[in-house]
Amino acid sequence: MAMVFTGAALVTAPAPALASIDVYEFDSLQQEKDFQELAATLRCPKCQNNNIADSNAALAQDMRQKTYELLQEGKSKQDVVDYMIARYGNFVTYNPPVMASTLILWLGPLFFIVVGFTILVMRSRKSTEKVTDSELDAQEQARLQALMAEMGTEADKASSQTNQDGKVK
């Protein structure tokens, strides 16, 4: 009966309890620190927004193992990064290098800001020029005077129709 309960407990155990934890032994504290930094700065190609330290993907586990092996061989951090870039591409780093293929990533936002600001300045200059260029010719001034005179006579009529209490008759 005890064997049945033990077997049932193993079958129904939660998956994280059965997951393995990577344990590495380092020669020095500096080597362990380098490993931790590399694991935090290399991106998992499968998970895309996780670094290889946070990812549980099999590919991230392989990358952690290869990082450990390269550090054990005495490679520097840059050698490990170069190896990972050669194998998986620039995607494994969070800061892609400035190259012809990545130039649009680095200069694209600056280009759009400059173009947008230029268009904004040009449009604002055109709108102020339209306001300053609008002088009235003689015919338009005569029409404006007639309208103002007409409005003045209507205002006089309205004021004459009010009594002393300010009420309109």
Side-chain angles (χ1 to χ4, degrees):
M1 189 68 167
M3 291 181 63
V4 173
F5 286 123
T6 304
L10 287 176
V11 170
T12 59
L18 298 176
S20 64
I21 298 173
D22 297 336
V23 178
Y24 301 105
E25 292 185 24
F26 297 96
D27 296 336
S28 67
L29 191 61
Q30 181 63 38
Q31 198 177 48
E32 182 178 356
K33 183 180 172 187
D34 290 346
F35 176 80
Q36 297 296 333
E37 283 182 26
L38 285 169
T41 57
L42 292 173
R43 184 186 303 181
C44 175
K46 189 171 185 175
C47 301
Q48 297 196 3
N49 284 329
N50 285 347
N51 55 32
I52 62 172
D54 294 338
S55 176
N56 289 327
L59 182 59
Q61 290 174 347
D62 291 344
M63 290 175 73
R64 284 193 300 265
Q65 180 65 33
K66 190 63 181 177
T67 301
Y68 174 74
E69 290 172 6
L70 290 173
L71 288 175
Q72 288 296 316
E73 292 174 4
K75 304 285 184 182
S76 68
K77 288 192 305 186
Q78 188 59 45
D79 292 339
V80 174
V81 171
D82 291 343
Y83 175 84
M84 293 296 177
I85 287 174
R87 186 168 182 134
Y88 300 106
N90 286 323
F91 182 78
V92 296
T93 60
Y94 283 105
N95 292 324
V98 179
M99 299 175 1
S101 62
T102 61
L103 204 57
I104 192 156
L105 293 173
W106 291 100
L107 299 178
L110 180 65
F111 173 75
F112 284 113
I113 289 172
V114 169
V115 168
F117 185 72
T118 303
I119 289 172
L120 185 68
V121 168
M122 290 176 62
R123 290 190 69 181
S124 67
R125 283 187 180 176
K126 283 185 179 179
S127 65
T128 57
E129 288 175 2
K130 287 181 182 177
V131 171
T132 58
D133 290 341
S134 63
E135 293 183 16
L136 299 176
D137 61 359
Q139 185 180 11
E140 291 173 337
Q141 285 184 352
R143 173 89 174 123
L144 179 63
Q145 291 296 331
L147 287 173
M148 290 176 65
E150 184 178 317
M151 289 179 65
T153 57
E154 289 180 7
D156 289 340
K157 287 182 184 176
S159 65
S160 67
Q161 292 178 350
T162 58
N163 60 14
Q164 292 181 345
D165 295 336
K167 294 181 181 177
V168 178
K169 292 182 181 179

